[in-house]
Tab-separated table of all heavy atoms in Angstrom:
chain	number	residue	atom	x	y	z
A	232	LYS	N	18.973	0.465	14.518
A	232	LYS	CA	19.952	-0.068	13.581
A	232	LYS	C	19.273	-0.972	12.561
A	232	LYS	O	18.377	-1.732	12.908
A	232	LYS	CB	21.046	-0.836	14.332
A	232	LYS	CG	21.852	0.032	15.287
A	232	LYS	CD	22.948	-0.772	15.974
A	232	LYS	CE	23.772	0.094	16.915
A	232	LYS	NZ	24.830	-0.689	17.604
A	233	THR	N	19.725	-0.878	11.300
A	233	THR	CA	19.104	-1.636	10.217
A	233	THR	C	19.245	-3.136	10.445
A	233	THR	O	20.320	-3.640	10.767
A	233	THR	CB	19.744	-1.260	8.869
A	233	THR	OG1	19.591	0.145	8.647
A	233	THR	CG2	19.077	-2.013	7.728
A	234	LEU	N	18.130	-3.849	10.284
A	234	LEU	CA	18.119	-5.304	10.387
A	234	LEU	C	18.450	-5.907	9.027
A	234	LEU	O	17.837	-5.535	8.019
A	234	LEU	CB	16.757	-5.803	10.857
A	234	LEU	CG	16.501	-5.863	12.366
A	234	LEU	CD1	15.041	-6.223	12.626
A	234	LEU	CD2	17.407	-6.879	13.031
A	235	ILE	N	19.382	-6.833	8.995
A	235	ILE	CA	19.754	-7.513	7.758
A	235	ILE	C	19.156	-8.915	7.776
A	235	ILE	O	19.519	-9.729	8.642
A	235	ILE	CB	21.283	-7.598	7.597
A	235	ILE	CG1	21.909	-6.199	7.710
A	235	ILE	CG2	21.631	-8.240	6.262
A	235	ILE	CD1	21.444	-5.219	6.670
A	236	PRO	N	18.237	-9.241	6.877
A	236	PRO	CA	17.664	-10.594	6.846
A	236	PRO	C	18.744	-11.635	6.605
A	236	PRO	O	19.584	-11.483	5.714
A	236	PRO	CB	16.663	-10.534	5.686
A	236	PRO	CG	16.353	-9.079	5.503
A	236	PRO	CD	17.618	-8.353	5.867
A	237	ASP	N	18.745	-12.688	7.427
A	237	ASP	CA	19.718	-13.764	7.255
A	237	ASP	C	19.049	-15.115	7.043
A	237	ASP	O	19.728	-16.136	6.921
A	237	ASP	CB	20.655	-13.842	8.465
A	237	ASP	CG	19.893	-14.015	9.787
A	237	ASP	OD1	18.679	-14.305	9.742
A	237	ASP	OD2	20.514	-13.860	10.847
A	238	GLY	N	17.699	-15.117	7.002
A	238	GLY	CA	16.992	-16.372	6.789
A	238	GLY	C	16.920	-17.254	8.016
A	238	GLY	O	16.314	-18.326	7.967
A	239	LYS	N	17.520	-16.827	9.104
A	239	LYS	CA	17.518	-17.617	10.337
A	239	LYS	C	16.824	-16.833	11.452
A	239	LYS	O	15.657	-17.040	11.717
A	239	LYS	CB	18.953	-17.975	10.714
A	239	LYS	CG	19.682	-18.815	9.671
A	239	LYS	CD	21.126	-19.078	10.064
A	239	LYS	CE	21.852	-19.881	8.995
A	239	LYS	NZ	23.286	-20.119	9.352
A	240	GLY	N	17.597	-15.966	12.101
A	240	GLY	CA	16.996	-15.182	13.170
A	240	GLY	C	16.163	-14.020	12.675
A	240	GLY	O	15.310	-13.510	13.405
A	241	VAL	N	16.395	-13.586	11.429
A	241	VAL	CA	15.660	-12.453	10.855
A	241	VAL	C	15.267	-12.799	9.417
A	241	VAL	O	16.117	-13.157	8.604
A	241	VAL	CB	16.507	-11.162	10.848
A	241	VAL	CG1	15.730	-10.018	10.223
A	241	VAL	CG2	16.961	-10.804	12.258
A	242	SER	N	13.997	-12.707	9.113
A	242	SER	CA	13.535	-12.937	7.746
A	242	SER	C	12.452	-11.925	7.403
A	242	SER	O	11.692	-11.487	8.273
A	242	SER	CB	12.994	-14.365	7.564
A	242	SER	OG	11.875	-14.587	8.394
A	243	VAL	N	12.415	-11.533	6.127
A	243	VAL	CA	11.464	-10.528	5.657
A	243	VAL	C	10.745	-11.067	4.423
A	243	VAL	O	11.379	-11.559	3.488
A	243	VAL	CB	12.173	-9.200	5.315
A	243	VAL	CG1	11.188	-8.207	4.700
A	243	VAL	CG2	12.814	-8.599	6.562
Side-chain angles (χ1 to χ4, degrees):
K232 297 182 179 179
T233 302
L234 274 173
I235 306 299
D237 56 12
K239 299 177 182 179
V241 179
S242 62
V243 175

